[in-house]
Amino acid sequence: MRHIYIVGIGTGNPEHLTVQAINTLNKVDVIFIPSKGAAKAELVEVRREICQRYVTKAGIRVVDYAVPVRQMADRSYVQSVDDWHAELSATYEQLFQDHIPENGSAAFLVWGDPSLYDSTIRIIERVSARKQVALDCSVIPGITSIQALTASHRIPLNLVGKPVQITTGRRLAESFPGMIETAVVMLDGEQAFGKIDDPDAYIYWGAYLGTEDEIIIAGRLADVSDRIVATRAEARTRHGWIMDIYLLRKGQDFDDPA
């Protein structure tokens, strides 16, 4: 039986790796590194830097693989994701058969934490369910973009005694403002915060968290919304990609330390 380790690597800073993650990378036979094309080459380089810095055991192979492109045309979001996961599971199954010896092990380096808005666990489960490759898996937790965001802004995640919602841009309007006082928003390519009309809403936004290119902006939403949109567009053009996240909060006094 082959064993797969799904290793959280944080948000881009190699120093985010835990001791557990480093020890795991040094006991596998293979480390798989995904490629999403030239526009996201920096993401590949971060993973390579992690391997170069922390993998000290001889004989561990690093194998690149191409990530299938998700097709959105003429299908719903849920269907497009399901189809994409099916393609990825076929890719993974072939990788396991070609590169992991029987009773061997391999690691995937997952951005942030494998349990939060990442599908590697689900895809491994698909491969296992097909029963073409006998495998088991372990998950090594990592620093999330939520932790990196609140650390960079030097704020607590929650208000005292209050809940926090983690959601996506497409679902934000369902709960904020109104049902929840603190919302963390991930996967928002449309800047859904621009549709929030609440004079008491504050935003803590960050992109490329944990890296040398980190950008953070905070303030009353009505005052900084346009600035975030412009900054995000410029950064995405410059890098060819962007990963950002933000926290929305209402009903608090705001003092911008900058």
Side-chain angles (χ1 to χ4, degrees), residues 9 54 63 114 162 171 178 198 205 209 246 257-258:
I9 62 171
Y54 296 119
V63 174
K162 300 292 185 178
R171 305 296 294 270
D198 188 326
W205 176 85
L209 292 166
Y246 56 91

Side-chain angles (χ1 to χ4, degrees), residues 4-10 34 36 43 47 65 67 70 77 81 84-85 88 92 108-125 138-146 166 168 186-187 243:
I4 310 300
Y5 292 91
I6 307 172
V7 182
I9 62 171
K36 296 184 178 182
L43 303 183
R47 288 180 168 94
Y65 68 97
V67 176
R70 194 175 82 196
Y77 174 79
V81 171
W84 185 46
H85 285 179
L88 278 166
Y92 283 15
F108 285 94
L109 305 184
V110 173
W111 216 256
D113 184 273
S115 68
L116 183 63
Y117 284 101
D118 181 83
S119 295
T120 305
I121 296 172
R122 295 186 183 93
I123 296 163
I124 297 298
E125 289 174 345
S138 300
V139 177
I140 311 301
I143 291 176
T144 67
S145 56
I146 298 173
I166 302 173
T168 63
M186 307 178 70
L187 305 178
M243 287 197 291

Side-chain angles (χ1 to χ4, degrees), residues 12-112:
N13 185 341
E15 294 182 4
H16 281 180
L17 258 70
T18 64
V19 174
Q20 183 185 23
I22 293 170
N23 289 340
T24 297
L25 295 182
N26 278 285
K27 70 181 181 182
V28 299
D29 298 295
V30 185
I31 297 172
F32 292 121
I33 295 184
S35 173
K36 296 184 178 182
K40 295 187 177 181
E42 289 180 61
L43 303 183
V44 176
E45 291 309 310
V46 169
R47 288 180 168 94
R48 291 195 186 285
E49 182 181 351
I50 285 170
C51 292
Q52 291 168 1
R53 181 182 295 200
Y54 296 119
V55 177
T56 57
K57 182 181 174 182
I60 297 176
R61 293 180 294 120
V62 176
V63 174
D64 292 9
Y65 68 97
V67 176
V69 178
R70 194 175 82 196
Q71 304 297 327
M72 291 291 293
D74 301 323
R75 65 190 77 182
S76 69
Y77 174 79
V78 172
Q79 185 60 56
S80 69
V81 171
D82 187 66
D83 292 345
W84 185 46
H85 285 179
E87 289 187 69
L88 278 166
S89 65
T91 298
Y92 283 15
E93 185 175 292
Q94 195 65 54
L95 285 172
F96 301 162
Q97 292 173 336
D98 292 346
H99 298 288
I100 308 176
E102 189 64 33
N103 298 317
S105 61
F108 285 94
L109 305 184
V110 173
W111 216 256

Side-chain angles (χ1 to χ4, degrees), residues 222-235:
D223 296 335
V224 301
S225 179
D226 290 345
R227 178 181 161 201
I228 292 173
V229 171
T231 300
R232 187 183 190 279
E234 188 278 330

Side-chain angles (χ1 to χ4, degrees), residues 236-255:
R236 183 169 188 170
T237 298
R238 176 157 39 91
H239 291 277
W241 61 277
I242 190 167
M243 287 197 291
D244 61 335
I245 180 176
Y246 56 91
L247 182 149
L248 286 172
R249 185 166 283 163
K250 59 180 296 183
Q252 69 169 52
D253 292 331
F254 180 83
D255 181 19

